[in-house]
Amino acid sequence: MRRKCDGYAGETGQPPLQTTSTAVAAPGAMLMSNAGSFEERRALDFFCHYTAQQFPGLFLDDFWCRLLQLSNIEPAIRHAMIAVGSIHEQYETYMTTISVAGSVADTSHRFAVTEYNKATSSLVKRLSADSNSVLTTIVACLLFISLEFLRGEVDQALTHLQSGLNILSNWREGPRASTESSTVEEVLPVFERLSMTSSLFGRPAYQLYTQQIDPATLPSSQVTFDGLPGARKSLVGLVNVSLQFIQSVLRRKNRLEVTFEDVVRQNRLENLLRQWEQSFEALTGRQRWSLPEQNSITLLRIHQRTILIWLLTSLLPNETSYDLYNANFEHVINMATEELVDSFANRSPQGGRASNFSFEMQLIAPIYFLAIKCRVGWIRRKAITHLYKMASKEGPWDSIRSAKVAERVVVLEEAGIDRSAGQDLPPEWSRIHHADIKCDKHPTTGQQLVEFLSKPNGEWKTRQEYLVLS
């Protein structure tokens, strides 16, 4: 059972994030120091009691709770937490409501923006006094990312992410302040997962370390871990390296210029993903798990199987190559049971407030991948139904927007099926290789611009449409 943040070590046994300052308040006084206005106290209270519990999603993580101590001595972090708490409360209160109390929402939004500006100003002052303060900078960066996700400003959020990754990459390769090393290392896994999320969202895969990892040189020993957190961390690393490989060979496969080295690297990554699966099954078969843990286990299996399908098709230029893995797609949709989807549609910490936002990527991305890359009618339609049912956001991923884009992909692709000739899958010429949601909106209708990339006559064709995605 999750509990509210109180400043003590949480479920993972980790203490609050430490800084070089000795000004540490007593846990019970966290919300009282620098009390501020009623609006500030309300937003900070919402962050502590709800946001910190809901951002991790299905996986328990006390990182957000452990920001309390840092916020007590860093104004930039405190103002950023207040801004995020305010925006998050607005999102949970208004985003799924047809009729919005405009004046109330506008006033709250202005307050959040004011706190956001205070956070950036405080951060600039902090860096002017100590340009090497990496911890404060990257924690503020994470809070800014979460705020932009909540506002729906995905590109701005990913710009913040790029800045944070650059800072961490330079920090890893340069001299480190010993006082911050251990606590900055605690934040790295959050950025590694964000890097994975960004890549899956269509942005270039980012290597957190300046030296590019060659899959062929990765350790050949059996992939092992001693618990679900370790399994998750291991899989995130494998997904990130796989995404870097997939993006690196994209142009070569489209030009039919795949090399023997590409095949070797693909085979190496496939073996590592299958080793992870074997180790994971050995781990999960050793004991009984609670229902939330069972859901986490299923989610990790879905992630592993989805990236494996993508990897196995990464050197084949035709979209029909995905048809070779329809049995795998069916396995994934069968794992995404109604009970699992219901747990995301009604996500709520035990005894807590329900939420339809998670900072972490969880189920939306793999189910969307299923809907656009599997051309078996009943599978992709069931995936779209799941996306609508979840009606939630996970970082940059919006299940409703994803469902609407996937529906349009289905219509465009299935228009090419010749039922009279016995076809039941779309032909290659009508298949969509990529669907990209643009920032542009129609000047009068407000509809979102979406680009669909296909190859109907051996030549690339881009189709642009304005769609209602909200």
Side-chain angles (χ1 to χ4, degrees), residues 275-287:
Q275 286 176 18
W276 182 93
E277 183 179 20
Q278 293 173 3
S279 297
F280 192 63
E281 294 309 313
L283 168 70
T284 56
R286 288 201 297 261
Q287 66 184 77

Side-chain angles (χ1 to χ4, degrees), residues 11 32 44 65 121 180 239 253 268 325 390 404 427 438 449 457:
E11 291 168 338
M32 296 304 296
L44 192 58
C65 285
S121 297
E180 283 194 337
V239 170
K253 80 165 184 179
R268 184 76 189 105
Y325 301 97
M390 283 187 281
K404 289 179 178 292
K438 299 294 184 179
L449 179 64
N457 301 304

Side-chain angles (χ1 to χ4, degrees), residues 112-123:
V113 171
T114 298
E115 290 296 316
Y116 193 178
N117 291 334
K118 288 181 180 179
T120 56
S121 297
S122 297
L123 183 59

Side-chain angles (χ1 to χ4, degrees), residues 86-242:
S86 179
I87 286 288
H88 188 205
E89 183 177 20
Q90 290 177 58
Y91 178 82
E92 299 296 353
T93 303
Y94 299 122
M95 287 295 282
T96 56
T97 305
I98 297 176
S99 176
V100 176
S103 59
V104 176
D106 290 345
T107 300
S108 299
H109 190 267
R110 285 196 297 271
F111 167 73
V113 171
T114 298
E115 290 296 316
Y116 193 178
N117 291 334
K118 288 181 180 179
T120 56
S121 297
S122 297
L123 183 59
V124 170
K125 292 180 182 177
R126 179 72 167 86
L127 293 177
S128 297
D130 180 9
S131 60
N132 296 318
S133 181
V134 174
L135 179 62
T136 301
T137 305
I138 60 173
V139 169
C141 182
L142 283 176
L143 289 164
F144 294 159
I145 292 169
S146 65
L147 190 145
E148 298 295 359
F149 279 160
L150 283 163
R151 296 173 66 193
E153 300 292 340
V154 174
D155 283 313
Q156 187 61 42
L158 296 181
T159 298
H160 284 307
L161 172 60
Q162 185 69 42
S163 299
L165 289 169
N166 287 334
I167 291 170
L168 285 171
S169 180
N170 292 333
W171 177 82
R172 289 302 300 265
E173 300 301 324
R176 309 182 195 177
S178 59
T179 53
E180 283 194 337
S181 290
S182 61
T183 47
V184 173
E185 289 284 356
E186 292 178 30
V187 186
L188 279 174
V190 184
F191 275 93
E192 289 171 348
R193 295 194 296 270
L194 277 175
S195 179
M196 174 183 69
T197 300
S198 174
S199 299
L200 289 170
F201 200 71
R203 300 305 191 272
Y206 188 91
Q207 177 57 42
L208 194 54
Y209 310 95
T210 56
Q211 183 179 3
Q212 185 71 24
I213 294 178
D214 184 347
T217 65
L218 291 173
S220 58
S221 58
Q222 184 79 7
V223 179
T224 59
F225 27 77
D226 57 6
L228 294 184
R232 182 193 187 196
K233 180 178 176 58
S234 174
L235 184 59
V236 168
L238 288 175
V239 170
N240 272 326
V241 177
S242 298

Side-chain angles (χ1 to χ4, degrees), residues 302-340:
I302 289 174
H303 285 185
Q304 184 269 346
R305 187 57 59 95
T306 302
I307 193 63
L308 181 61
I309 296 171
W310 201 354
L311 175 69
L312 292 174
T313 57
S314 62
L315 300 182
L316 303 172
N318 294 330
E319 285 293 301
T320 48
S321 63
Y322 286 97
D323 299 346
L324 300 172
Y325 301 97
N326 283 338
N328 287 269
F329 282 124
E330 184 173 359
H331 182 58
V332 173
I333 200 65
N334 287 337
M335 285 192 285
T337 61
E338 296 293 339
E339 291 77 15
L340 180 66

